[in-house]
Amino acid sequence: MNQKTGDFGVFIMGGGPGDPELITMKAFNVLKRAEVILYDNLSNEKLLGIAPKTCKMIYVGKQPYQEYTPQEKINELIVENAHQYQVVVRLKGGDPFIFGRGFEELIYAEARGIKCHYIPGISSMQGAGFIDVPLTHRGISESVWILTGTKKDGSLTEDLKCAMKSSATVVIYMGMKKVAEISKAYCDAGLGTMPAAIIQHATLPHQKQVVCLANNLQEAAEEAGLTYPAIIIIGNVVQAKAYAALHQSDLLSA
């Protein structure tokens, strides 16, 4: 796939975690010459203002657990518009290749002879940094395990049990409907006191978050008024700032 912004075709683009300034220069340059933008509810609508006034805007949003545009229809719209226009942008929140179904759309379009380009975006999990939670930190976590909380059949992924056995930071997308099950899984494994955090609308002015323990995820979310979409982070990195402060003298003398 050619990555030059002067090319034409379908651009599967990551809009980042929310703040419209957190897009790449490549994305900005493509948006400036977009002829069609298919966008969802996780894309900041301010990004649409970068496009020319003549740009055709198509909302294909997927409100979690509510009415949504079927993926089949989105695929058809991408192909239909790619046959009529030279610069078609499929704008998705976060990064389109991380639980964003962007690769499905790319495969569908390319199978029909349409040239596609991938433009990465900052993933919503990186919003953890906006509440001073690093996803990795020396001496605390050496890896990150990224999971979907809800599989295609609606069940909680079995991979969570594997992730819990490691020292990795666990990041759960689409897990708010399963927060009670997630909490119980940690308690059943004797890990109920593992630090945890939930972040909703990360990087935006109305961002909300809560820091708690794994055994208190559901109650903490309810008390803080947190709902979906949100990111759940479980691991000792949630307390990394306190850890750093405790060991500051050791770091200074190192």
Side-chain angles (χ1 to χ4, degrees), residues 10-86:
V10 172
F11 294 83
I12 310 294
M13 179 185 296
D19 184 341
E21 293 185 348
L22 292 174
I23 63 166
T24 64
M25 285 299 298
K26 183 181 286 289
F28 179 81
N29 288 329
V30 170
L31 284 172
K32 284 198 299 183
R33 59 190 187 87
E35 295 174 276
V36 181
I37 299 177
L38 296 94
Y39 67 101
D40 59 41
N41 60 293
L42 293 180
S43 305
N44 193 314
E45 291 195 15
K46 288 185 179 179
L47 295 176
L48 304 181
I50 298 171
K53 292 182 179 180
T54 55
C55 182
K56 178 182 176 183
M57 306 294 182
I58 304 174
Y59 175 70
V60 290
K62 293 184 178 182
Q63 292 287 347
Y65 313 107
Q66 298 178 30
E67 292 291 327
Y68 65 93
T69 306
Q71 186 63 52
E72 295 76 14
K73 179 62 176 177
I74 295 173
N75 292 344
E76 292 170 5
L77 285 169
I78 291 172
V79 172
E80 177 185 318
N81 283 277
H83 284 150
Q84 299 177 51
Y85 300 91
Q86 291 186 312

Side-chain angles (χ1 to χ4, degrees), residues 95-122:
D95 182 278
F97 282 9
I98 300 179
F99 299 123
R101 304 185 78 167
F103 198 63
E104 293 178 33
E105 295 169 355
L106 181 144
I107 291 173
Y108 185 91
E110 286 193 338
R112 285 151 183 81
I114 295 168
K115 189 176 183 180
C116 294
H117 314 266
Y118 164 57
I119 300 181
I122 294 175

Side-chain angles (χ1 to χ4, degrees), residues 55-233:
C55 182
K56 178 182 176 183
M57 306 294 182
I58 304 174
Y59 175 70
V60 290
K62 293 184 178 182
Q63 292 287 347
Y65 313 107
Q66 298 178 30
E67 292 291 327
Y68 65 93
T69 306
Q71 186 63 52
E72 295 76 14
K73 179 62 176 177
I74 295 173
N75 292 344
E76 292 170 5
L77 285 169
I78 291 172
V79 172
E80 177 185 318
N81 283 277
H83 284 150
Q84 299 177 51
Y85 300 91
Q86 291 186 312
V87 182
V88 176
V89 173
R90 175 63 174 107
L91 180 61
K92 305 173 76 71
D95 182 278
F97 282 9
I98 300 179
F99 299 123
R101 304 185 78 167
F103 198 63
E104 293 178 33
E105 295 169 355
L106 181 144
I107 291 173
Y108 185 91
E110 286 193 338
R112 285 151 183 81
I114 295 168
K115 189 176 183 180
C116 294
H117 314 266
Y118 164 57
I119 300 181
I122 294 175
S123 176
S124 54
M125 68 178 176
Q126 292 172 272
F130 288 81
I131 60 168
D132 293 331
V133 174
L135 295 179
T136 63
H137 187 71
R138 186 172 58 174
I140 299 178
S141 174
E142 299 172 354
S143 58
V144 181
W145 200 310
I146 309 168
L147 308 169
T148 175
T150 306
K151 296 196 302 181
K152 188 175 182 179
D153 63 4
S155 64
L156 179 65
T157 175
E158 288 292 316
D159 283 354
L160 179 61
K161 294 178 182 178
C162 299
M164 288 162 48
K165 294 177 182 178
S166 74
S167 60
T169 302
V170 177
V171 179
I172 305 172
Y173 287 68
M174 298 169 284
M176 292 303 287
K177 292 282 282 189
K178 300 289 185 182
V179 70
E181 290 182 52
I182 293 167
S183 184
K184 183 178 184 301
Y186 271 84
C187 290
D188 290 348
L191 298 170
T193 57
M194 183 68 69
I198 304 173
I199 312 166
Q200 185 178 9
H201 304 306
T203 77
L204 292 170
H206 54 293
Q207 171 182 301
K208 294 194 293 185
Q209 67 276 327
V210 67
V211 173
C212 59
L213 298 178
N215 61 16
N216 194 41
L217 274 168
Q218 184 176 21
E219 294 81 1
E222 291 173 354
E223 289 176 9
L226 295 173
T227 182
Y228 41 77
I231 293 292
I232 301 169
I233 302 166

